[in-house]
Amino acid sequence: MSKSTIELRIPGELGYEKVAMEAAATMARKMKFSPERIEDLRTAVSEACINAVEHGTKGDRRGKVAVALTRDGKKLQIAVKDRGPGFTYESEEPNIFEKLVDEGNTRGWGMFLIENLVDEVEITSKPDKGTTVRMVIHLDNAGEGPGDE
Amino acid sequence: MSDELKIFKKKLDDVGIVALVGDVTSLSEEQIIKSYEEFADDGLHLIIFDFALVSYINSSGIAILIGIVNKAKQKGLTISVAGLAPHFQKIFKMVGLTRFIQLHDSVENALNSKGVNPDVSVSN
């Protein structure tokens, strides 16, 4: 089966991540992912878009976040890209006990959730060139849902 | 105030019920914390957050709850969550929130577990 891609550009403003979530969920339903996996994907896409808005466009509605959804056989890939300052990603698991004693720092769960909800994650970030978070879920690992195709 | 979330509150004996309708995100942080603090300042022992009509919770929403659990611990208050969809139950377990809050299928079950008569119609 050939690849097919849908591309979206959402405003760099919190709340619009739901547009990307729904697009990803629609594509996953068409590919017959199970409802549970679709929920996982919705959360992962939402978190990637929120990171792009908060750290990439820094909440500037004029700064866009590009979302590319690619169906490739039994694989669904979602790439979320911003043109922000970039960052150095360190995969360190947040600890709720530490969060509970530091009232000012209860956040920081986004990447942790993404890594635990999808099958593959790749982060590419370059200073002043932006960041791309590429997430993949595989139908084989998912269990098939009812779908609509 | 966020348009994304509506909050309805009710008090039963020394239990506060906060019913959330909409999205639990950073956009609704102020509303949720205000609702918690109004009950916490009222000398209640248990606050139940009803998530039955919440369809979207993101990591900022999780962070709000962690902050509330922290405040509640300092006051000796118990926080319960009712009606959470299975996906978000999984997320709560993933981040470790279920170590500090009790999950219940419904507000009625949460109240029954505390021996409170579950007359749970709520209002603003």
Side-chain angles (χ1 to χ4, degrees):
Chain A
M1 185 183 289
S2 61
K3 276 190 186 182
S4 63
T5 299
I6 295 172
E7 292 177 341
L8 307 170
R9 282 165 67 82
I10 60 172
E13 184 178 325
L14 290 175
Y16 285 97
E17 73 276 7
K18 290 168 81 174
V19 175
M21 276 169 63
E22 294 311 324
T26 301
M27 206 151 175
R29 266 193 299 274
K30 284 197 169 289
M31 291 177 69
K32 301 184 180 177
F33 279 94
S34 68
E36 292 78 16
R37 288 296 277 163
I38 293 170
E39 286 300 312
D40 290 348
L41 183 68
R42 284 165 55 93
T43 293
V45 170
S46 153
E47 294 303 329
C49 291
I50 290 168
N51 278 346
V53 167
E54 291 187 338
H55 305 296
T57 70
K58 297 193 182 296
D60 181 352
R61 197 174 189 280
R62 293 165 300 177
K64 302 294 182 199
V65 173
V67 182
L69 308 109
T70 303
R71 175 180 183 162
D72 183 4
K74 289 187 169 186
K75 194 167 86 173
L76 176 55
Q77 173 181 292
I78 291 97
V80 176
K81 183 175 187 179
D82 67 66
R83 293 192 177 278
F87 72 106
T88 305
Y89 175 64
E90 291 169 10
S91 180
E92 187 179 338
E93 193 169 310
N95 181 320
I96 193 161
F97 292 98
E98 289 172 11
K99 301 280 184 196
L100 278 170
V101 295
D102 184 0
E103 262 189 78
N105 182 29
T106 56
R107 301 190 59 182
W109 297 95
M111 282 310 304
F112 168 78
L113 291 177
I114 293 170
E115 287 178 337
N116 280 279
L117 292 171
V118 298
D119 297 322
E120 295 174 34
V121 188
E122 181 186 81
I123 300 161
T124 313
S125 191
K126 290 181 184 166
D128 300 322
K129 297 277 183 191
T131 300
T132 301
V133 176
R134 189 182 68 86
M135 300 165 284
V136 177
I137 57 171
H138 298 274
L139 199 51
D140 290 341
N141 295 349
E144 293 189 5
D148 59 2
E149 273 189 352
Chain B
M1 182 186 283
S2 162
D3 294 333
E4 316 289 330
L5 183 75
K6 292 199 184 319
I7 296 180
F8 301 88
K9 294 190 300 174
K10 180 172 178 117
K11 199 160 61 170
L12 285 173
D13 298 336
D14 61 351
V15 177
I17 302 165
V18 180
L20 307 170
V21 181
D23 299 345
V24 175
T25 71
S26 59
L27 300 175
S28 45
E29 179 170 11
E30 201 176 311
Q31 285 170 272
I32 296 170
I33 290 177
K34 187 175 166 213
S35 296
Y36 160 78
E37 284 177 345
E38 283 170 2
F39 274 155
D41 292 342
D42 230 0
L44 302 181
H45 290 104
L46 168 66
I47 298 178
I48 302 167
F49 284 89
D50 184 4
F51 277 74
L53 296 176
V54 171
S55 54
Y56 176 45
I57 309 169
N58 63 23
S59 59
S60 304
I62 300 275
I64 295 167
L65 278 171
I66 293 171
I68 285 174
V69 166
N70 191 13
K71 289 175 198 287
K73 265 179 70 180
Q74 291 168 19
K75 276 199 171 247
L77 248 165
T78 301
I79 300 292
S80 289
V81 165
L84 198 62
H87 173 67
F88 294 116
Q89 288 184 27
K90 180 168 85 176
I91 300 283
F92 275 39
K93 283 178 191 154
M94 214 176 255
V95 304
L97 256 176
T98 48
R99 293 167 185 252
F100 305 99
I101 55 173
Q102 294 177 339
L103 299 186
H104 296 274
D105 290 346
S106 64
V107 171
E108 287 87 343
N109 285 348
L111 289 168
N112 280 330
S113 75
K114 298 292 173 190
V116 179
N117 180 20
D119 172 16
V120 292
S121 55
V122 291
S123 57
N124 275 348

